[in-house]
Amino acid sequence: AWASLFWSTAIMANFTQSAVGIDVMAELRSSGKRMTIWTVLFALSVVIFANSAHVYDTACTGDDPDEEGFFCTSAGYGIGSGVLCSLFTGNVVLTKIRGVSYLFQTEVILAGIVFLLYTFGVSILTSHSGAGAPLGNLYYGSWASFIISSLCLKSCWEDYQRGTTGSGNNAATNEHANTPGGNSNNDVPEVKANNQYGGDTI
């Protein structure tokens, strides 16, 4: 199922580029840094939420539920974390699509929250008694979300180390202002002239 999803997405992207002339991946990259990562995280969050809700509905509800205890608790965690991460990542994606400048500190905070949620999620959902223990969409989605969220946080950290956090224009302006040899009002040379009557310097 996952392979079919990836292949169908790639085929659709190639078809869009050849038929309409729109390069989907190039458009995603041009929308802002980490746009592709946030989009993938949004899709994975929806998958985790939907599958956790399906597991909880089929195994943990009714008069005589098939499962109880930690299994149902882990499914509930999958629902909650999936909803929260869908909201967080969807907000970032929509903001970047609209071309609005996103505050770097806010993006780092959201990336950290998503990473923490999926760090706990992969340990809870894929544990021995967790709802995602059997190999399936929930198992693979949990691990994929953990890996992608760690890559997103790593990309933010690399931008912070390089200083490319959106203040490049201000830095360039300050550097130009502090460039040696720059002219200012204090650099106007003193001009001396002789008074034609008294010879005093003015």
Side-chain angles (χ1 to χ4, degrees), residues 11 24 49 54 93 165 171:
I11 292 173
V24 178
F49 157 67
H54 175 72
V93 170
T165 59

Side-chain angles (χ1 to χ4, degrees), residues 47-60:
V47 169
I48 291 177
F49 157 67
N51 281 272
S52 297
H54 175 72
V55 170
Y56 190 88
D57 183 62
T58 56
C60 300

Side-chain angles (χ1 to χ4, degrees), residues 8-74:
S8 59
T9 303
I11 292 173
M12 180 61 67
N14 290 332
F15 173 77
T16 304
Q17 183 176 2
S18 59
V20 188
I22 300 176
D23 192 343
V24 178
M25 296 304 297
E27 291 294 329
L28 287 176
R29 288 191 294 267
S30 63
S31 298
K33 287 186 176 181
R34 291 174 291 277
M35 180 62 176
T36 304
I37 294 179
W38 284 110
T39 304
V40 173
L41 275 176
F42 173 73
L44 290 173
S45 299
V46 174
V47 169
I48 291 177
F49 157 67
N51 281 272
S52 297
H54 175 72
V55 170
Y56 190 88
D57 183 62
T58 56
C60 300
T61 58
D63 297 333
D64 187 19
D66 298 331
E67 300 286 348
E68 58 183 9
F70 183 76
F71 182 91
C72 296
T73 303
S74 64

Side-chain angles (χ1 to χ4, degrees), residues 13-185:
N14 290 332
F15 173 77
T16 304
Q17 183 176 2
S18 59
V20 188
I22 300 176
D23 192 343
V24 178
M25 296 304 297
E27 291 294 329
L28 287 176
R29 288 191 294 267
S30 63
S31 298
K33 287 186 176 181
R34 291 174 291 277
M35 180 62 176
T36 304
I37 294 179
W38 284 110
T39 304
V40 173
L41 275 176
F42 173 73
L44 290 173
S45 299
V46 174
V47 169
I48 291 177
F49 157 67
N51 281 272
S52 297
H54 175 72
V55 170
Y56 190 88
D57 183 62
T58 56
C60 300
T61 58
D63 297 333
D64 187 19
D66 298 331
E67 300 286 348
E68 58 183 9
F70 183 76
F71 182 91
C72 296
T73 303
S74 64
Y77 180 87
I79 296 173
S81 61
V83 170
L84 288 177
C85 291
S86 296
L87 293 176
F88 293 153
T89 57
N91 178 52
V92 176
V93 170
L94 289 177
T95 302
K96 288 180 178 290
I97 288 177
R98 290 163 52 193
V100 180
S101 179
Y102 210 86
L103 190 62
F104 179 75
Q105 289 82 352
T106 305
E107 185 175 0
V108 171
I109 292 173
L110 291 179
I113 294 174
V114 171
F115 174 74
L116 288 177
L117 287 174
Y118 282 136
T119 299
F120 288 108
V122 75
S123 60
I124 294 173
L125 290 171
T126 63
S127 60
H128 179 69
S129 302
L135 295 180
N137 291 335
L138 194 53
Y139 178 87
Y140 293 116
S142 300
W143 278 106
S145 300
F146 169 71
I147 295 173
I148 299 298
S149 61
S150 63
L151 292 177
C152 182
L153 193 60
K154 176 176 176 291
S155 176
C156 292
W157 173 249
E158 289 175 348
D159 278 358
Y160 174 76
Q161 286 185 317
R162 288 194 298 262
T164 56
T165 59
S167 59
N169 292 334
N170 294 333
T173 303
N174 294 333
E175 182 180 357
H176 176 73
N178 296 327
T179 301
N183 291 329
S184 64
N185 292 332

